[in-house]
Amino acid sequence: MAALLNSVRAFFTPQTFHVDQENPGDVVARETLLDRAMGEGRRRKSSEKLRAGRIPAEGLALVARDEDGHVIGSVRLWNVEAGISREGRAVEALLLGPLAVDSAHEGKGIGSALMRAAIAEATRRGHGAILLVGDAPYYERFGFFADKAQHLIMPGPFERSRFLALELKAGWLEGAAGLLVASGRRLSA
């Protein structure tokens, strides 16, 4: 019900934000936002193991900015290998997360706008699938479902019902099985 109310509220609320590429000047604002939105345990999550020491996928670090240019939302996607195919090849995919919106701006459609922009950009760049760990009722509206990730596992503890996938190319994850492994560019020392 809350998601429905937020959708209706967002429809009638004038858009006071825009989605943009993240830039180096956004780092402090993004990290502060993520700390507030995700809490102290955010760095202990299994997804974080795949992001640690890596750079987001090319062109797939997005922020939402308010009218004054302040960061009020963030989403990033990361290159991973989603197990192996039936033929034994690594299956390239993206891992989404975290998605966060400043609590003062919730209910304005910012999270949805970030999700739609991220999916569209990943599709435009030719990626085959996006995986995430998150609230199924929220992410299902974007096409993410647990059945597409049923034969994949995260490195560390995770809730199976919250491990979701969206195929950007039909059949991309068909037959994929195994452990997600980070494959993106490393941060330089």
Side-chain angles (χ1 to χ4, degrees), residues 47 96 132-139 159-164:
S47 297
L96 185 143
L132 60 82
V133 178
D135 186 33
Y138 179 82
Y139 290 105
E159 293 178 55
R160 171 61 57 193
S161 63
R162 294 173 51 84
F163 189 33
L164 313 172

Side-chain angles (χ1 to χ4, degrees), residues 16 18 20 23 26 29 63-72:
T16 57
H18 68 278
D20 195 6
N23 67 56
D26 296 329
V63 294
R65 298 182 194 284
D66 66 13
E67 293 171 319
D68 297 321
H70 299 116
V71 173
I72 57 172

Side-chain angles (χ1 to χ4, degrees), residues 101-182:
V101 175
D102 186 303
S103 61
H105 296 277
E106 288 178 354
K108 297 178 181 177
I110 296 168
S112 294
L114 284 166
M115 284 299 299
R116 283 193 284 286
I119 292 167
E121 186 62 18
T123 301
R124 190 184 76 70
R125 290 177 176 272
H127 292 282
I130 302 172
L131 298 122
L132 60 82
V133 178
D135 186 33
Y138 179 82
Y139 290 105
E140 284 175 354
R141 65 179 146 158
F142 303 106
F144 287 85
F145 295 97
D147 64 328
K148 298 288 183 185
Q150 67 183 332
H151 300 296
L152 299 169
I153 57 173
M154 294 287 291
F158 71 101
E159 293 178 55
R160 171 61 57 193
S161 63
R162 294 173 51 84
F163 189 33
L164 313 172
L166 166 67
E167 288 182 321
L168 302 174
K169 295 180 180 178
W172 190 263
L173 295 173
E174 193 172 313
L179 180 69
L180 260 65
V181 177

Side-chain angles (χ1 to χ4, degrees), residues 1-13 107-109 112 116 138 141:
M1 184 66 163
L4 176 61
L5 289 175
N6 282 341
S7 294
V8 170
R9 195 175 302 123
F11 180 77
F12 289 106
T13 303
K108 297 178 181 177
S112 294
R116 283 193 284 286
Y138 179 82
R141 65 179 146 158

